[in-house]
Amino acid sequence: MTLKKKIISHNNFVRGRFKDDISQITADFTASLDIDRKLADFDIDGSIAHLYAIEKAGIVGKKEKKALEKALLKIKSEIESGELELNKKYEDIHMNVEKRLIELVPESGAKLHTGRSRNDQVSVDFRLYVRSRIKLIANALIDLRAVLASVAKSNIKAVIPGYTHFQHAQPVSLAHHFLAYYEMFTRDFERMMNAYKAADVLTLGSGALAGVDFDIDRRLEADILGFGNISRNSMDAVSDRDFALEFNFALSMTALHLSRFCEELIIWNSFEFGFIKIKDEFTTGSSIMPQKKNPDVLELIRGKTGGVISNLLSLFIMMKSLPLAYNRDMQEDKKPVMESADTVYNSLSIFKEIIKTLEFDKEKMRSGLKDDSIYATDVATYLVKKGVPFRKSHEIAGKIVSYAENTGKTLSTLSLKEYKKITGYIDEDIFSIFNPESSVNSKKTTGGTSFKEIAMVLKEYEKEIENNKKSIQALK
Ligand code: ARG
C-alpha cells in the first residue's frame, strides 16, 4: 500500500500504530465535532499561518503553499455554505479540515501537520475564538452602557426612593440608580479587555508539548494571526486554559450584573411598584390568566445566569487536577465557554432593547416618596448644621420618627410646636427639607446623587465610551 492510499483509506488517519479500528462506541464518546465545529474558521486561519511558517522553513515549496492556501480557503467556504459535510468519524474539526485538505491536495496536504500537534493547534484555535467573542461582547457592553447613559440623561430629575435592606433609605435620582449599573458594566468591559490580553498569546510552535524540530517562524505566525505575544514555555502553552477561565469569569460577572438589574426591574414592573412598563414585544402572556403580561425575558436572563456561573465552576473543576501538559479532559473546555459566551451576548443584546424602550411612571415613583421617614437622615443632617454633634442628632431624629409613628403622623405633618417639644434646635425651615429635589441636591460629594454631579459624570461617560470604542478598534 502506498503512503497516499494508506492515509486516505483510513477513517481515522492517526491510527498508524493500531492493529484494529476504533470501536464505534469509542469514536462516538471521544468525538468533539459537535462542539468544536464552531472553531472551523479559526482552525483554517491558524492552518494558513502555520502553512506560511512551514513554507519559510522549507517544508513545502512556494507552489505547494499556494495550492494549500487556496484549498484551505475553499474548505472554509465549503463549511460555511454547508456543502462540506463534517463527519464525526474524524473526531474533531481539526481532523475534518485536514482530511478534506488531503482529499483536495493529496501529496502536499499530508505535509501541513509537519511541526504542529493538535495540542498547539486547538490552543491557538480556542484563543482566536475567545478573542473574537470578547470583541463582540465588549462592543455589546459599550452599546448597553450608551443606552443606560442616554436613559439616565433624560431622567436626571426623576427622583425615586433609594433602598438599603430593601427598605426606603434616601431619595436618589433615577439616573443615579441606572448609572450604578453603568459602572458595573464598565468594569465588565475592562475585565473583557483583560481577558483579551490573556488570550492574545500565540501558542503554535509548541507542538505536542516540547516544541518542534523545524524552523517555525513564530513571529511570522503571530503577525499573520494578529497575536500580541508569543508563549515562552511550550508545556505551559499547550496546557494553559487561564485565558478561558478569565473570559468565563468576566462573562459570569456580566451575567451577575444583568441578573441583579433584571431582578430589580421585575420588582419595579410589579403592580405594587408600578415604576416601569416593559414594551409588549418583550413580554409574554399566560396560557390561563388572560390579564397577564409577564417579564419573561428578564426572568430568563436572571435564570440563565445560574448556568453561566456553573460553566465557570465546571471549567475550574475540570482543570484543577490536571498534570502537565495536555490531557484529553481539556476537550471539555469549549462547551462551557461557548455556551456562556452565547448566553451573555444574547442577554446583553435583548436587555439593551428592553432598557431602550422602557416606560417610566414618574407619578408612581414619586408616590414612593410619600413615606417621608425617608427624610430622617436629612433631619439628622439639618440638626448637625445647627451645631448638634452627629451621634446626638441621629438620636433626636430617631425620636422624631418614633413620635410621628406613635401619633399617626409623618415627618412633614408634625407641627413646629411638636418639633420644638422634642428639640430646641428645630425652626420653621425644617419643612423645606421634606422635598425630593432638595434632599437629592443637598448631597455634595463626587459620585453622589445630586443633579449637578450626575450631569458632570455623564459628560465623563461620553468621553469614556468614545475611548473604549477606539480601544476595541485597536484590537487585532
Ligand atoms: N479535540 C481535542 C481538544 O479539543 C483536540 C486535541 C486533541 N489532542 C490529543 N492529543 N488527543 O482538546
Side-chain angles (χ1 to χ4, degrees):
M1 192 185 277
T2 67
L3 176 66
K4 181 171 139 191
K5 266 198 196 137
K6 188 172 178 193
I7 288 167
I8 22 189
S9 67
H10 264 87
N11 275 352
N12 184 328
F13 52 106
V14 294
R15 294 184 67 81
R17 82 182 295 291
F18 297 89
K19 233 176 35 237
D20 301 323
D21 238 348
I22 194 167
S23 72
Q24 192 57 44
I25 191 170
T26 309
D28 286 348
F29 191 75
T30 52
S32 57
L33 182 66
D34 287 347
I35 304 288
D36 58 31
R37 60 193 319 143
K38 283 194 184 165
L39 296 179
D41 275 3
F42 307 113
D43 192 68
I44 289 168
D45 292 346
S47 287
I48 291 175
H50 179 65
L51 176 62
Y52 276 68
I54 57 172
E55 187 220 6
K56 197 169 170 195
I59 295 156
V60 293
K62 229 192 181 90
K63 262 201 183 141
E64 285 184 293
K65 186 206 97 179
K66 270 200 176 148
L68 286 170
E69 186 173 11
K70 202 170 143 207
L72 283 165
L73 292 173
K74 180 175 158 63
I75 298 170
K76 201 185 229 189
S77 67
E78 282 178 353
I79 294 176
E80 202 185 297
S81 66
E83 212 178 306
L84 175 64
E85 213 182 299
L86 299 171
N87 197 328
K88 240 178 138 168
K89 79 178 179 204
Y90 306 124
E91 212 174 299
D92 55 25
I93 188 64
H94 323 293
M95 302 231 273
N96 267 274
V97 171
E98 200 181 336
K99 171 80 178 47
R100 177 69 181 138
L101 187 70
I102 292 170
E103 244 168 48
L104 290 174
V105 208
E107 293 293 344
S108 316
K111 294 182 184 172
L112 180 71
H113 210 56
T114 321
R116 185 175 72 169
S117 152
R118 266 188 302 161
N119 298 351
D120 56 357
Q121 188 179 0
V122 73
S123 158
V124 107
D125 291 5
F126 198 22
R127 284 165 183 274
L128 290 171
Y129 167 88
V130 166
R131 283 195 338 186
S132 88
R133 287 305 177 275
I134 288 178
K135 272 189 266 178
L136 266 183
I137 290 168
N139 266 316
L141 280 164
I142 292 184
D143 290 346
L144 174 58
R145 285 158 61 212
V147 167
L148 289 174
S150 117
V151 170
K153 199 170 180 179
S154 352
N155 290 289
I156 297 182
K157 294 192 172 150
V159 182
I160 59 169
Y163 295 79
T164 62
H165 313 273
F166 206 48
Q167 307 278 319
H168 280 181
Q170 293 184 294
V172 291
S173 158
L174 171 63
H176 201 50
H177 194 117
F178 266 52
L179 293 180
Y181 286 99
Y182 175 100
E183 289 289 336
M184 294 179 227
F185 294 125
T186 303
R187 291 195 296 276
D188 292 334
F189 172 84
E190 295 300 337
R191 264 185 283 273
M192 288 295 165
M193 299 303 272
N194 288 335
Y196 187 97
K197 221 174 129 201
D200 194 24
V201 181
L202 175 95
T203 47
L204 274 180
S206 304
L209 79 165
V212 297
D213 307 41
F214 305 93
D215 272 331
I216 300 284
D217 183 346
R218 301 188 69 208
R219 189 70 262 169
L220 172 72
E221 292 178 327
D223 289 344
I224 294 173
L225 296 170
F227 278 107
N229 297 294
I230 295 176
S231 58
R232 299 190 305 177
N233 180 304
S234 55
M235 293 182 82
D236 175 47
V238 292
S239 63
D240 161 32
R241 293 295 181 272
D242 297 9
F243 69 97
L245 279 158
E246 283 183 41
F247 179 39
N248 239 4
F249 176 70
L251 288 168
S252 297
M253 280 306 290
T254 307
L256 178 98
H257 291 147
L258 280 170
S259 182
R260 289 183 68 187
F261 207 166
C262 286
E263 164 78 5
E264 198 131 50
L265 295 177
I266 289 164
I267 293 168
W268 284 12
N269 185 56
S270 67
F271 177 81
E272 285 72 15
F273 268 75
F275 284 8
I276 53 166
K277 271 205 193 85
I278 300 164
K279 257 263 165 103
D280 279 1
E281 58 188 285
F282 303 116
T283 57
T284 56
S286 155
S287 60
I288 172 167
M289 298 165 285
Q291 86 283 12
K292 291 285 272 229
K293 199 179 126 186
N294 296 327
D296 292 40
V297 173
L298 299 174
E299 292 167 275
L300 277 169
I301 296 175
R302 185 180 59 185
K304 285 171 190 284
T305 299
V308 173
I309 296 168
S310 308
N311 284 336
L312 171 64
L313 289 186
S314 78
L315 194 52
F316 262 121
I317 296 165
M318 184 276 284
M319 287 299 293
K320 81 174 182 53
S321 308
L322 298 185
L324 287 176
Y326 177 85
N327 298 271
R328 191 64 178 266
D329 314 45
M330 291 162 96
Q331 181 167 289
E332 296 300 307
D333 60 357
K334 279 156 232 77
K335 189 162 172 256
V337 174
M338 290 176 168
E339 220 177 69
S340 289
D342 287 348
T343 301
V344 170
Y345 178 71
N346 294 336
S347 299
L348 282 168
S349 307
I350 193 163
F351 187 75
K352 178 191 76 187
E353 296 306 318
I354 293 182
I355 297 289
K356 227 195 233 169
T357 52
L358 217 50
E359 274 175 49
F360 297 99
D361 188 334
K362 307 243 167 90
E363 278 311 300
K364 274 275 189 163
M365 289 178 168
R366 224 177 157 83
S367 71
L369 294 162
K370 275 194 190 131
D371 160 27
D372 57 23
S373 66
I374 201 161
Y375 299 110
T377 315
D378 294 319
V379 172
T381 308
Y382 169 95
L383 291 166
V384 168
K385 286 179 184 160
K386 300 272 175 175
V388 184
F390 180 74
R391 273 289 153 243
K392 188 78 196 148
S393 71
H394 184 279
E395 189 190 329
I396 300 172
K399 283 200 176 118
I400 294 170
V401 170
S402 139
Y403 177 85
E405 223 171 71
N406 294 337
T407 53
K409 297 192 176 176
T410 68
L411 294 185
S412 59
T413 59
L414 289 178
S415 66
L416 184 58
K417 223 167 114 198
E418 286 172 299
Y419 269 116
K420 289 242 185 246
K421 241 180 17 201
I422 302 170
T423 169
Y425 287 103
I426 287 184
D427 296 308
E428 184 65 38
D429 57 351
I430 186 74
F431 296 102
S432 70
I433 69 172
F434 306 124
N435 169 284
E437 285 75 22
S438 55
S439 172
V440 164
N441 287 320
S442 66
K443 304 296 173 289
K444 294 230 161 43
T445 44
T446 332
T449 188
S450 73
F451 297 165
K452 202 173 111 212
E453 192 55 41
I454 293 171
M456 242 154 69
V457 94
L458 277 170
K459 287 219 179 82
E460 237 177 75
Y461 291 166
E462 263 172 41
K463 274 191 234 140
E464 181 175 274
I465 286 177
E466 283 320 303
N467 287 338
N468 289 169
K469 280 184 186 161
K470 279 186 207 141
S471 41
I472 294 189
Q473 276 157 13
L475 300 177
K476 288 282 169 61

